[in-house]
Amino acid sequence: MIKSYSPHAPEDLVAEAPATGADEVAKAFARARAAQAQWGRGPAAARAQALSDAADALAAASDELTRLVVREVGKPLGEARGEVARAVAILRYYAQQVYDPVGAMHEPSSLGLLFTRRRPLGVAGLVTPWNFPVAIPLWKAAPALAFGNAVVLKPSPDATATALRLAGLLDEVLPEGLLTVLPGDGDTGRAIVAEADVVSFTGSTAVGGDVVRSAAARGVRVQAEMGGQNPAIVLPDADVESTARQIAAAAMGFAGQKCTATKRVIVVGDVTPMRDALVAAIEALGFGDPAQATTAVGPVISEAARDRVLAAAGSATAAGARLLTGGAATGDPGWFVRPTLLEDVPADHPLSCDEVFGPIATLRAVPTLEEAVAVANNVPQGLAAGVYTRDLTAALATADALEAGLVKVNAPTTGVDFYLPFGGEKASSVGGREQGKAAQDFFTSLHTVTLAPAEGA
């Protein structure tokens, strides 16, 4: 059985469902293929209307979904409400992308007319995480559906209730069998990857590597969005107070449980003003019950996640780092850990190199911008990076030098615009970019057609 418990009330069983076995996965794909055959050949207007109706269904249920997200994954109320609104916008966006060109005419050759045309790939297998339980499934499923595919989705066990409710809402407006949510564990995910015509995954680096290898062995197109060890570089001319507030929110908001969360703060020059302002900004964040409107930092997702944060802080201080704030659990019944900032963590310590998914970040001072960029790039991941400065020349040069798929100038590393490509470099991402116009490239195949006149015509 798959069981999902509330992280701020661990005795609260939010959802319970049988794990989907391989036989049931195969049956779901058979139903999806039958539905896709009609959906993919049908008129664009029908797909646009269905996605628009799906947006209306989510909008009507936005309060219910918001409360469910808060309860099931501990996302603070304001962020949960924003995520649901974003999901509605994603569906409306792709309802219009249906009408984008699906090919192009080219200059004729000696043989005749030449043109290209995009076709859906078939059934998309989606494996999604718990931290954005509405937005991430839909930023994958909406374009897959818009461009004529069917979808089989396996959510994280920790987001089972939200995914099933999402499926229930979409079932009311989509053809039967076109979108299926299958609760399950790793075995269910592996069965989906083994059946799918195209695979999109978001989750840990270790699991993502397995997904990529499995799909590649079958010759199936795959994208995997994985972890980040995201830096924020602060130059001496940056506004200290506003920069500290932005970094604090990006590092600790939703208990740091975003792949784009700031994990490393690298200050060029005198670190003292930024250290003081950052500690104050972190300690000023609303902490506690995620259902309260003033809360910015709620619980982490599980006891194991809380223990990993505490162990990382303890290990770093034992290795010579200085704890500036946090580093302790609370007496609350949920999985709460105080937002944690450490300074002078050794460069080879795991906290400097590997993502710890929780409210924990490091602070480091370097003498030059060149060294800051070198430190920022000296990790296996390359998802998001930030730079804070008033110097436009320095900002543009740093943006070019940072090895990250997303570069933010005077803006938090967190936050993604759904109409722009999303993805990272190095170990953070494999395959094509997600979202925006890039999604059409990923979820379709481009065919080249030569149309020559028949003999005697």
Side-chain angles (χ1 to χ4, degrees):
M1 295 296 291
I2 299 300
K3 297 183 179 182
S4 174
Y5 291 91
S6 174
H8 56 286
E11 74 288 349
D12 178 15
L13 178 61
V14 184
E16 183 176 18
T20 309
D23 289 346
E24 286 302 314
V25 170
K27 291 176 183 177
F29 270 88
R31 292 190 295 270
R33 292 190 201 289
Q36 190 275 329
Q38 299 300 317
W39 175 259
R41 288 196 296 265
R47 298 198 302 275
Q49 187 62 57
L51 290 172
S52 181
D53 290 345
D56 290 343
L58 254 69
S62 60
D63 288 344
E64 174 199 353
L65 277 174
T66 295
R67 291 191 299 271
L68 184 56
V69 170
V70 173
R71 179 186 174 199
E72 186 168 38
V73 303
K75 179 163 286 192
L77 178 62
E79 289 206 36
R81 186 178 291 118
E83 180 180 346
V84 174
R86 175 182 174 188
V88 172
I90 287 169
L91 286 165
R92 297 203 192 285
Y93 173 80
Y94 284 108
Q96 296 307 305
Q97 294 305 300
V98 164
Y99 296 112
D100 267 15
V102 294
M105 296 293 297
H106 295 265
E107 287 295 318
S109 72
S110 58
L111 294 176
L113 186 66
L114 300 177
F115 64 93
T116 59
R117 178 170 172 77
R118 292 191 174 277
R119 299 179 185 171
L121 294 171
V123 182
L126 311 181
V127 180
T128 58
W130 53 264
N131 59 333
F132 286 86
V134 179
I136 289 182
L138 284 178
W139 89 36
K140 296 176 187 292
L145 294 168
F147 304 125
N149 302 278
V151 167
V152 175
L153 165 69
K154 190 204 86 67
S156 164
D158 292 317
T160 297
T162 304
L164 290 175
R165 184 64 187 118
L166 190 61
L169 291 167
L170 298 183
D171 283 347
E172 297 175 3
V173 296
L174 296 177
E176 184 178 356
L178 192 66
L179 183 145
T180 305
V181 170
L182 301 179
D185 51 16
D187 288 340
T188 307
R190 283 184 283 273
I192 287 174
V193 172
E195 292 275 358
D197 301 310
V198 56
V199 176
S200 183
F201 167 89
T202 299
S204 70
T205 301
V207 177
D210 290 341
V211 168
V212 169
R213 286 186 288 273
S214 177
R218 297 178 51 229
V220 168
R221 188 176 299 181
V222 60
Q223 63 185 184
E225 295 298 337
M226 297 169 284
Q229 184 67 346
N230 310 304
I233 296 174
V234 182
L235 274 66
D237 66 337
D239 182 85
V240 171
E241 298 300 326
S242 65
T243 298
R245 287 193 297 270
Q246 286 194 28
I247 292 176
M252 306 301 173
F254 188 26
Q257 297 172 122
K258 304 173 185 177
C259 59
T260 54
T262 301
K263 295 298 178 184
R264 297 175 296 144
V265 185
I266 305 165
V267 177
V268 178
D270 182 11
V271 73
T272 303
M274 181 52 58
R275 178 201 295 129
D276 295 344
L278 187 54
V279 169
I282 289 171
E283 292 179 348
L285 293 171
F287 176 79
D289 182 356
Q292 297 300 314
T294 56
T295 296
V297 185
V300 292
I301 192 64
S302 66
E303 183 178 16
R306 183 192 64 182
D307 292 347
R308 281 192 290 271
V309 173
L310 296 174
S315 172
T317 54
R322 184 159 68 100
L323 181 67
L324 299 178
T325 189
T330 71
D332 301 287
W335 311 125
F336 291 92
V337 57
R338 294 283 180 188
T340 301
L341 181 68
L342 298 108
E343 188 176 12
D344 296 328
V345 177
D348 60 350
H349 189 273
L351 191 55
S352 296
C353 309
D354 300 321
E355 181 182 43
V356 176
F357 215 56
I360 186 167
T362 66
L363 176 67
R364 177 174 177 178
V366 296
T368 66
L369 176 57
E370 291 73 18
E371 186 170 345
V373 170
V375 170
N377 290 339
N378 191 31
V379 292
Q381 305 87 355
L383 182 54
V387 56
Y388 290 87
T389 180
R390 293 186 175 95
D391 186 333
L392 179 60
T393 300
L396 294 176
T398 306
D400 283 344
L402 287 167
E403 296 171 355
L406 307 171
V407 178
K408 305 288 193 74
V409 178
N410 298 322
T413 56
T414 52
V416 177
D417 295 305
F418 61 82
Y419 50 88
L420 293 178
F422 175 83
E425 305 292 338
K426 302 189 289 189
S428 288
S429 297
V430 173
R433 291 293 193 248
E434 295 195 271
Q435 302 194 128
K437 299 293 186 181
Q440 187 188 53
D441 292 336
F442 181 72
F443 284 113
T444 62
S445 177
L446 188 63
H447 294 245
T448 300
V449 180
T450 301
L451 183 60
E455 288 292 331

